Amino acid sequence: MVIIKDDDVVELAHGAGGKVMDSLIKNFVLESFVKRSISKSIPFLGEGVGLEALEDGGSFQVGDFEIVVSIDGHTVKPVFFPGGDLGRLAVSGTVNDVAVMGAEPLVLACSVIVEEGYPLKDLKRILDSANATTEEADIVILTGDTKVMPRRELDEIVFTTAGIGIVESGKIVRNSGLKAGDTIIISGTIGDHGVALLAAREGLEFTTSLVSDVAPLSGLIREIRNLGQITAMKDPTRGGVSSALNDLAQSSKASIWIREESLPFKKEVKAAAEMLGIDPLEVTCEGKIIIGCKAEKAEEILDTLKKNKYGKDAAIIGTVKPPISGKPLVVMETSVGGKRVVEKPIGEPIPRVC
Amino acid sequence: MVIIKDDDVVELAHGAGGKVMDSLIKNFVLESFVKRSISKSIPFLGEGVGLEALEDGGSFQVGDFEIVVSIDGHTVKPVFFPGGDLGRLAVSGTVNDVAVMGAEPLVLACSVIVEEGYPLKDLKRILDSANATTEEADIVILTGDTKVMPRRELDEIVFTTAGIGIVESGKIVRNSGLKAGDTIIISGTIGDHGVALLAAREGLEFTTSLVSDVAPLSGLIREIRNLGQITAMKDPTRGGVSSALNDLAQSSKASIWIREESLPFKKEVKAAAEMLGIDPLEVTCEGKIIIGCKAEKAEEILDTLKKNKYGKDAAIIGTVKPPISGKPLVVMETSVGGKRVVEKPIGEPIPRVC
């Protein structure tokens, strides 16, 4: 039971994917939302992954299948950013959340809330981009909703997408699946989305190659999923790789050891992050996944990733070990031979990053 | 192909459930979202109700079942209104959209976007209310997402819910199901939500009995669904009963004849609507359904509705006939013996009503 004082308010960090958001969800949202079983008397309907699991989505069983559901509200600013836009982000973000659970994304439900006076041509550009991204991801927009808020009651537009996917019963990939000895792979360079977005917002334009990595990864994930032996997957969005690795370690009750030298960064991202004073490890990626797999399968998965345009910079970045003194820490072996704990950030440093 | 001029902007009416919204969706959203089939090679996966059907949701087949999906963004203001709040509305609105398609609602995905500085105790009150409503509706919140927007970039809070339900294949109830000779029933009094909301907003407080009807109707709908012979169902939300009847008539290529005398109104709603200068027929209901059924089943459905607390004011309000000169009109036989066409409104007269 959390005591809420009268003057407690929502802070930006409550939505920023780090420790503060964790406490909001664990002490507050989960307390409000009582976990109940699906009590319907429908044949073939069974249990799945619930809210309390704190995965990228939830699931329920229908016959021999599990239906996976994920939802994300997208508030990115600016709406059009280098390498993408709100429409591409809203589709990719949710497709990726469904796919990292090991499911095949099938359909999307889209809710757009837009400010009165927003240019119709920009709305059309966003919808067209969302549509092109669904084509790329081979999914269908099944249903939608449009609301308009009066001028100045919303800053431009937000786009919420719910994704529904399907997977054979028992084949869901969960954050808790890592075992000591597993290998940790990342599918490409780190921090591209957040750094590109912030650089655009700050007017930093020293290079045109600084673009978001936003992309739907369902195709890439299907290729590696078919190889088998994947023990966990997560897309490092808010709070970046630091947050995602900590989530995986905590859920799996294991420690994760990564090697700084092996982490793939675009040099422009490293340079811009330094200039902007942010740690690229704590910054949102929108087209990357972290994969845990059995060690003997790692090279095959890496090769498969590298053949895909969204995985060409993939790298093996670490190993899973038992917890350290009972703690599920993330430890980085630094380039100079030291070790440091990679803490879960307080929150994503960039507001409205996704 | 719609030509968009550079200075065309989104208007409030684009989200208001009437003729203007229809034109946005038909000429613009559907044009952006290419209808594609679900092309996955997954056994037992089949076609369902697509976006172009313009139903309350969409569906896809899994084995012997159809999975129904609906989404709604909720922007109601004030967040706490007589008879309800944003949380109860967000759950009820989506549960009802799934249920009117003849499906059993199972799970909900929730996305909350909240303004920095919003009181935590109010957020908790909204979440608790949403949770209580899911208990009443016997559904489970499966997954969620929280985003925070900086101060003044969002007016308080919006709450988007996606609902997923299940129905045996071939048993979906569609707007297009009405046939000449069918009876039209409404499950209770008209206009309560919109009028109560506007009265509260305008400080009109001449009666405490003026409250929103917001409620989850999955239980009520289950009871009448089990009786069979239902040909169409629709919840009259934005644009109210006028808009819903016109949608049903258009989809079914039929005319709907209603009798003014038979329309159930609370007298406080009629009085307040007159004072506020709005037509209660064009105003959002959030706890009502319009039902089309075979004439011989109408009395039994009516009796069943009346035994439920959410259906006690149910009434038979009209009949389905062939189109009039080829047009799917809604015609009202007035109390004084005349006839008038009930047009689809330009839009819901109240902004941020749901």
Side-chain angles (χ1 to χ4, degrees), chain A residues 213-231:
Chain A
D213 55 354
V214 58
L217 301 178
S218 43
L220 179 79
I221 291 174
R222 192 183 309 131
E223 286 170 16
I224 59 167
R225 199 181 63 207
N226 289 341
L227 301 175
Q229 308 256 40
I230 289 174
T231 52

Side-chain angles (χ1 to χ4, degrees), chain A residues 292-326:
Chain A
C293 66
K294 293 294 163 206
E296 63 268 26
K297 203 75 178 180
E299 286 297 338
E300 193 182 345
I301 290 175
L302 187 68
D303 288 346
T304 304
L305 287 171
K306 286 187 161 179
K307 282 179 199 143
N308 186 299
K309 67 176 168 175
Y310 293 132
K312 60 185 167 46
D313 297 316
I316 291 174
I317 61 169
T319 310
V320 180
K321 296 187 182 179
I324 300 163
S325 312

Side-chain angles (χ1 to χ4, degrees), chain B residues 179-211:
Chain B
K179 298 273 183 255
D182 286 358
T183 298
I184 301 291
I185 301 173
I186 191 156
S187 65
T189 53
I190 295 168
D192 299 13
H193 175 76
V195 172
L197 194 83
L198 192 57
R201 224 187 263 168
E202 301 292 324
L204 216 69
E205 286 179 34
F206 60 83
T207 167
T208 53
S209 64
L210 205 60
V211 293

Side-chain angles (χ1 to χ4, degrees), chain B residues 46-296:
Chain B
E47 285 291 301
V49 177
L51 189 67
E52 78 296 343
L54 300 175
E55 300 274 346
D56 291 275
S59 78
F60 61 97
Q61 280 185 37
V62 178
D64 300 329
F65 295 97
E66 213 148 334
I67 305 292
V68 170
V69 184
S70 189
I71 192 166
D72 254 321
H74 298 87
T75 65
V76 70
K77 184 179 183 176
V79 166
F80 303 100
F81 51 81
D85 56 64
L86 176 64
R88 183 165 175 83
L89 178 71
V91 172
S92 300
T94 295
V95 161
N96 296 347
D97 279 345
V98 171
V100 294
M101 292 186 73
E104 185 63 39
L106 294 178
V107 302
L108 219 56
C110 296
S111 155
V112 171
I113 306 178
V114 56
E115 184 185 12
E116 179 190 11
Y118 192 72
L120 265 182
K121 67 173 174 11
D122 289 347
L123 177 59
K124 174 92 171 112
R125 204 175 139 198
I126 293 165
L127 297 178
D128 285 346
S129 170
N131 187 43
T133 313
T134 61
E135 286 195 66
E136 184 185 341
D138 191 21
I139 58 163
V140 173
I141 294 179
L142 196 64
T143 187
D145 179 53
T146 313
K147 293 273 157 62
V148 180
M149 284 171 79
R151 276 172 215 274
R152 286 181 293 279
E153 296 188 3
L154 173 67
D155 183 21
E156 299 195 341
I157 180 167
V158 296
F159 195 150
T160 300
T161 45
I164 294 118
I166 195 165
V167 56
E168 281 175 60
S169 277
K171 294 208 169 169
I172 279 198
V173 177
R174 299 187 61 159
N175 290 349
S176 55
L178 294 180
K179 298 273 183 255
D182 286 358
T183 298
I184 301 291
I185 301 173
I186 191 156
S187 65
T189 53
I190 295 168
D192 299 13
H193 175 76
V195 172
L197 194 83
L198 192 57
R201 224 187 263 168
E202 301 292 324
L204 216 69
E205 286 179 34
F206 60 83
T207 167
T208 53
S209 64
L210 205 60
V211 293
S212 166
D213 55 354
V214 58
L217 300 178
S218 42
L220 179 78
I221 291 174
R222 192 184 308 129
E223 286 170 15
I224 58 167
R225 199 182 62 206
N226 289 340
L227 301 175
Q229 307 256 40
I230 289 173
T231 51
M233 279 192 281
K234 191 164 180 69
D235 51 336
T237 52
R238 281 176 290 175
V241 169
S242 295
S243 200
L245 287 174
N246 273 284
D247 283 344
L248 289 169
Q250 276 165 31
S251 293
S252 296
K253 297 183 174 60
S255 67
I256 295 177
W257 292 65
I258 56 172
R259 289 174 302 280
E260 188 172 22
E261 280 183 343
S262 64
L263 298 175
F265 289 105
K266 289 205 172 84
K267 62 179 189 305
E268 299 87 347
V269 168
K270 270 232 145 169
E274 212 156 282
M275 197 175 292
L276 294 161
I278 52 176
D279 179 352
L281 268 186
E282 297 187 355
V283 160
T284 297
C285 309
E286 288 292 348
K288 299 294 152 49
I289 39 167
I290 295 169
I291 302 142
C293 66
K294 293 293 163 206
E296 63 269 25

Side-chain angles (χ1 to χ4, degrees), chain A residues 4 6 8-12 14-15 21 24 28-29 31-34 36-40 42-45 49-51 56-60 62 65 69-73 75 77 104-107 109-111 113-121 123-124 127-128 130-131 134-135 137-150 153-155 158 160 162 164 166 222 238 352 354, chain B residues 4 6 8-12 14-15 21 24 28-29 31-34 36-40 42-45 49-51 56-60 62 65 69-73 75 77 104-107 109-111 113-121 123-124 127-128 130-131 134-135 137-150 153-155 158 160 162 164 166 222 238 352 354:
Chain A
I4 302 171
D6 268 2
D8 283 346
V9 298
V10 174
E11 294 161 26
L12 279 177
H14 278 127
M21 191 167 102
L24 176 80
F28 194 93
V29 176
E31 192 186 81
S32 283
F33 292 143
V34 180
R36 288 189 306 281
S37 300
I38 295 179
S39 61
K40 314 283 174 179
I42 294 173
F44 309 117
L45 204 64
V49 177
L51 189 67
D56 291 274
S59 78
F60 61 98
V62 177
F65 295 97
V69 184
S70 189
I71 191 166
D72 255 320
T75 64
K77 185 177 181 176
E104 185 62 39
L106 294 178
V107 302
C110 296
S111 155
I113 306 178
V114 56
E115 184 185 11
E116 179 191 11
Y118 192 73
L120 266 181
K121 66 175 177 6
L123 177 59
K124 175 94 171 110
L127 296 178
D128 285 346
N131 186 45
T134 63
E135 286 194 66
D138 191 20
I139 58 163
V140 172
I141 293 179
L142 196 63
T143 187
D145 179 54
T146 313
K147 293 273 157 61
V148 180
M149 284 172 79
E153 295 187 4
L154 173 67
D155 184 22
V158 296
T160 300
I164 293 119
I166 196 164
R222 192 183 309 131
R238 282 176 289 174
R352 294 187 66 177
C354 63
Chain B
I4 302 171
D6 267 2
D8 283 346
V9 297
V10 174
E11 293 160 28
L12 280 177
H14 279 126
M21 192 168 101
L24 175 80
F28 195 92
V29 176
E31 191 186 81
S32 282
F33 292 143
V34 180
R36 288 189 306 281
S37 301
I38 296 179
S39 59
K40 314 284 174 176
I42 293 173
F44 310 118
L45 204 62
V49 177
L51 189 67
D56 291 275
S59 78
F60 61 97
V62 178
F65 295 97
V69 184
S70 189
I71 192 166
D72 254 321
T75 65
K77 184 179 183 176
E104 185 63 39
L106 294 178
V107 302
C110 296
S111 155
I113 306 178
V114 56
E115 184 185 12
E116 179 190 11
Y118 192 72
L120 265 182
K121 67 173 174 11
L123 177 59
K124 174 92 171 112
L127 297 178
D128 285 346
N131 187 43
T134 61
E135 286 195 66
D138 191 21
I139 58 163
V140 173
I141 294 179
L142 196 64
T143 187
D145 179 53
T146 313
K147 293 273 157 62
V148 180
M149 284 171 79
E153 296 188 3
L154 173 67
D155 183 21
V158 296
T160 300
I164 294 118
I166 195 165
R222 192 184 308 129
R238 281 176 290 175
R352 294 187 67 177
C354 62

